[in-house]
Amino acid sequence: MLLTRKSDSARVAGPRLARAIGSRIATMDRRAFLKRSGLVAGAGAFASQLPYGTMGKAEAADESSSVKAEVHRTVCTHCSVGCAIDAVVENGVWTRQEPVFDSPINLGAHCAKGASIREHGHGEHRLKTPMKLVNGKWQKISWETAINELGDKLLAIRKESGPDAVFWIGSSKHSNEQSYLLRKFVSFFGTNNMDHQARICHSTTVSGVANTWGYGAMTNSYNDMQNTKCALYIGSNAAEAHPVSVMHMLHAKETGAKMIVADPRFTRTAAKADYYVRFRSGTDVAFLFGVLWHIFKNNWQDDKYIHDRVYGMDKVKEDVMAKWTPDKVEEVTGVPEAQIFKIAEMMAKNRPSTLVWCMGQTQHSIGNAFVRASCIVQLALGNIGVSGGGANIFRGHDNVQGATDIGPNPDSLPGYYGVSTGAWKHFAAVWGVDYDWMLKQFASQAMMEKSGMTVSRWIDGVLEKNELIDQDSNLRACVYWGHAPNSQSRGKEMVEAMKKLDVLAVIDPYPSATAAMGAMVRKDNMYLLPACTQLETSGSVTASNRSLQWRERVIRPLFESQTDQAIMYALAKKFGFGPEFIKNYELWKPDGDAKFEEPTPESVLKEINRATWTIGYTGQSPERLKLHMKNMQTFDVKTLRAKGGPCDGDYFGLPWPCYGTPEIKHPGSPNLYMTSRKMMDGGGCFRANFGVERDGVTLLAEDGSYPKDSEITTGYPEFDHVLMKKIGWWDELTDAEKKAAEGKNWKTDLLGGIQRVTMKHNVHFWGNAKARAVVWNFPDGIPQHREPIYSPRPDLVAKYPTHDDKKAFWRLPTLFKSVQQANVENKIAEKFPLILTSGRLVEYEGGGDETRSNRWLAELQQEGFVEINPADANDRGVRNGEYVWVKTATGAQLKAKAQVTDRVGRGTTFMPFHFAGWWMGKDMLEFYPEGAAPIIRGEAVNTATTYGYDSVTMMQETKTTLCQVEKFTA
Amino acid sequence: MRACTLSLLAAAAALALAGCGERPQVINYKQGKYQGKPDTPAYANAPFNGNRQQYENTINTRTQSQNEYVRLRD
Amino acid sequence: MARMKFLCDAERCIECNSCVTACKQEHEIPWGVNRRRVVTLNDGVPGERSISVACMHCSDAPCMAVCPVDCFYKTDDGVVLHDKDLCIGCGYCFYACPFGAPQFPQAGAFGVRGKMDKCTFCAGGPEPDRSAAEFQKYGRNRLAEGKLPACAEMCSTKALLGGDGDVIANIYRDRVTHRGKGGEVWGWATAYKLPAQGGTQPGAAPGGAPGGAPGAAPATPPAGGTKS
């Protein structure tokens, strides 16, 4: 070693010294050492210590390099607002997402979930391959094995016990095409035992609202709230469930609108309200009719509107004035007169006013009554069919509206046609199959025309005594296809049902809590099939405001996942009805032989266009929708109408009803029931669906109330070929149209001639009737308050008891009074004195396994918690941040962190329902397939929720049950 | 013996010169002034190529996308 | 052009955390590092306000002033950036910053410490613009593309504004003019020392704005209007 080298020797000696000393570290240099370690970028040796991804993936190229970037426009897959996203893809990898400022719906805005949706392109915690439970452990299998084994097992069950022994739980996260195909698929399998998330979301809304005036959807839109003068949010936490909708509301507030929030919790939405009122969960009828009492008392109702367009308001008034005086309202709801009066005054004096509701109103044993009460208030104020007014129902999942409209509903074929013989014949014609062949697929015609079971009760289909269920066999198999289990109540009994099943299958991008719950209690006969997300396929999606948007495919299905339509076709072939299933469609293989063949979404949508005349899914052709997505900036944000440009005159997304064939270019209907607009301008009136008169009183609209420029200026019933001939418009149909319309009505005329010609005369073919404030096909003709099944007030149970038990309701015996009475006798309200309610967080969506697998979201909510009022916490010696047991009358107990806060009033507790993966204090990580468990796991509140169902739709009563909270002890 | 001393000296020298293995941190350290790598302004490269005015115009126009009043008349 | 600034309109912020995840997504930021956070005051009671906070890109940045290796610099646009190659992870900037902008990774050779990471106003850092090296160390350089920070562009209610200070000031002023309030959350009571008549500031929300007495929430808040 030379010690006498010149100045450059230091440089040379360095590496040599290092070698001489025998160090294996690449350099001894302190700065270089620092460069390699602790660097946030993680490109160095310590990247492996950062478990949740690092900054700068190795494959990211220099942006200025010549990698060609493609941009695909899609729509967020989380909630029903429908925020557009421009996804940038390089070399098949989804590298960036950009906001779409042009979108008239979200103007580029996102919530936490939309801003992080690119994580779907990583999908580290996805279900990557088909799996099978073997002796309690998950094993990878091939697709062929999966389709064959699962298919064989289901076929065997079908053979032994009939097709009704299988329950298919479909998805509100499927695109329109996929959910329509699923309805068809399960129909060909031979049963109506299918359902999806709408059941536990807005089923009560759809039914209650449809039975009031037409169809049960949001009547106006998020954008239209810009035009309101006062908005009442009751049972809606839009700031967390529909954040971007709040942008429209806050803008409206800035320009003069008032905002009222009524909720048992002081939610983040309430923090933005001009006026907030706290009331007891489950007392909405009393609350709303308390408001209506003041409206009538002060003569604020719109008499002309009621006279022209509403039936039965006088009977409602009689009932309300007698029953809902301020003292009774206060007794039931806890709200003093002054506050109720103020709400009534604000809504009445600032019209048009709108009413917004979500799960807070729907998830109750009398949810159908709550929503009808909301409708009645709006009818009394004359707010329906008015821009700025309306019943603004915010739907949940991204395509729950579409799935409700045309998807796997147990009580209806696509388009609310129902399951009568006529409906089946209509669809036999549309699907190009023989009606008799379809009939043979079913156990019998009776079963074909009987509504199936619901997702909220499938467990009873398994566990209930066979002689009490309204079908031959109990359920022996269940397929969870894009649906989580922890959003349904009675989780403790659900695992019993999962244990008892012969076969349990999950078809989902994530294993979901079903995999863990199933593996916890089963050893075998359970299958997981990886479907891909909506970002890996194309198709249309219907937002809450009924606008349809077209999603382009961003990336190909990750790992070994397949699209849902490919899986359906593969199973259809296995079940022997492959050719029938794809009868009218084009087939393609967008990824060559790497993935299964599937029908193109465009060809499926075209069939939907030919089929769905009821709600006007007929005009939204793929071409028109794609044109809208490319020209978003031409649409006005307040009116949603395109001003000039290629879509001139259309409303964005052609919100249904978009009547007639695509050729006649109906612009869509952004606000429903507007008599101030012409039919071809999106106008309408209330539907004539319940007859022409009742008890001698007409149900048709009064003279002078009709869509603008209608040639018929009186009320009239729905149109069919007879009426067309009688009026003398029959000869305006073309010969082909006449042939199709002969013997048909406006819903079953497959070429749409009746619709086209009546609209030429500015007449609405579904009739012109009054909305019904009183109905005769519901348990309560006028909404009545009935205490929840698990009520904290036994004294009020005596005054306002619930319904009588039902014997065969959606094929199952359903208890009301007996459970409520038993609760009173067993003093449940004393043992479990706190109301337990559940709801949403902005960071997570639905059952939560998908969003809790997104590391950017999961970091923001790392623990399941229960909100408890400080007084209640002190009564129990519970401190903020401590673990507690939340116990309910089911015997289940949940381990959650106590969040002591004034957000909930004394006597109420709240848990978010998005968590799963813990079972009564135990982590279920071991039951998930390796590498596919969500990052964050917690107790599912629904493990402990109780029996209670809506008297019309079998909605679960998750918003009001009872619990006790105790300090946690192991 | 000489070899032993030499190797001892070498070892000592090795230890003493261990500091020489360090590359100089900064050539000319000026306290209070930024000492890191130079950075170019945002408009230096594509797509602006040095055109500061175009860059500012683009940015200011795009900022209006955060203002929904632009698309919503009162 | 004035300097780049952020402004979070607390009347609109609903704590949706879109800004937080937009930033994490755009720059692939690891778990434990949060360049942007939403802070909520009076959580759960009337008067609840939220505001999104990241680096304020101060004119006279304390972080820059105290850094022992002088790794900070300011661009023409007023964005405060730093050179991670120089950073020694001492954390002094973290002490000096009143907003908690400097972040440190959870894992790394120094245990809790490591290279400081913070909001760059989506302007990258001292590596060639839009290069892989820049993305690895500092994240995306949106300014060099003519775009604005991802957090501001994706805010759900357009509460968070980011861009040239003059431009966003105009946008904010427009809103305040329309709604008649908004500025008072920034401390008018302190600035203007208003008399305690009823203890409310102009245009306060029911239950009092911050500065009013939130205390324990009443079981039902008192009736109160905002604008007359």
Side-chain angles (χ1 to χ4, degrees), chain B:
Chain B
M1 183 56 203
R2 246 191 110 231
C4 207
T5 327
L6 204 56
S7 54
L8 256 167
L9 265 173
L15 282 167
L17 285 171
C20 297
E22 303 235 344
R23 296 217 191 85
Q25 298 275 64
V26 178
I27 306 298
N28 290 305
Y29 184 75
K30 285 194 174 60
Q31 185 171 29
K33 284 196 71 179
Y34 173 61
Q35 307 288 345
K37 285 189 194 157
D39 190 15
T40 52
Y43 49 85
N45 300 304
F48 301 107
N49 296 313
N51 186 342
R52 185 174 186 169
Q53 196 54 51
Q54 190 198 356
Y55 162 73
E56 289 186 10
N57 291 342
T58 308
I59 291 282
N60 289 340
T61 309
R62 186 155 168 133
T63 312
Q64 291 303 328
S65 300
Q66 296 171 38
N67 179 14
E68 82 282 359
Y69 279 90
V70 170
R71 282 182 77 182
L72 283 160
R73 312 167 312 274
D74 287 289

Side-chain angles (χ1 to χ4, degrees), chain C:
Chain C
M1 183 165 182
R3 31 206 314 279
M4 294 296 193
K5 272 290 173 198
F6 281 117
L7 174 60
C8 180
D9 185 348
E11 285 300 305
R12 284 215 185 175
C13 180
I14 53 173
E15 204 189 340
C16 78
N17 281 312
S18 164
C19 49
V20 175
T21 59
C23 175
K24 292 199 82 98
Q25 177 275 122
E26 186 74 3
H27 309 291
E28 292 269 358
I29 296 176
W31 188 284
V33 175
N34 289 288
R35 293 184 174 183
R36 183 168 280 286
R37 267 338 261 272
V38 177
V39 174
T40 301
L41 307 172
N42 298 325
D43 186 86
V45 298
E48 175 178 326
R49 288 281 189 291
S50 299
I51 168 180
S52 170
V53 180
C55 172
M56 298 300 280
H57 299 282
C58 310
S59 300
D60 185 8
C63 56
M64 202 181 312
V66 305
C67 176
V69 295
D70 290 315
C71 73
F72 286 89
Y73 65 102
K74 208 177 359 221
T75 69
D76 291 348
D77 297 325
V79 176
V80 174
L81 298 174
H82 72 297
D83 184 338
K84 283 192 183 180
D85 294 341
L86 271 181
C87 173
I88 56 170
C90 70
Y92 210 18
C93 54
F94 167 62
Y95 285 5
C97 175
F99 302 98
Q103 299 284 308
F104 295 88
Q106 288 182 342
F110 286 30
V112 199
R113 284 268 177 256
K115 297 290 181 172
M116 187 280 275
D117 184 66
K118 75 166 186 68
C119 160
T120 59
F121 207 85
C122 289
E127 292 287 349
D129 284 348
R130 304 174 64 188
S131 62
E134 188 188 43
F135 182 67
Q136 270 176 5
K137 292 184 192 172
Y138 305 105
R140 201 73 68 184
N141 189 339
R142 287 175 74 83
L143 286 190
E145 298 173 333
K147 298 177 186 163
L148 285 155
C151 53
E153 297 205 315
M154 294 206 203
C155 173
S156 66
T157 53
K158 308 221 182 271
L160 181 62
L161 302 169
D164 178 312
D166 287 339
V167 176
I168 61 174
N170 283 338
I171 297 174
Y172 185 64
R173 179 176 45 235
D174 214 5
R175 289 186 194 170
V176 175
T177 321
H178 274 103
R179 68 182 168 225
K181 69 180 178 101
E184 73 278 6
V185 302
W186 304 118
W188 281 7
T190 311
Y192 301 116
K193 302 222 181 325
L194 293 166
Q197 83 255 34
T200 52
Q201 290 109 31
T220 40
T226 43
K227 298 159 56 174
S228 45

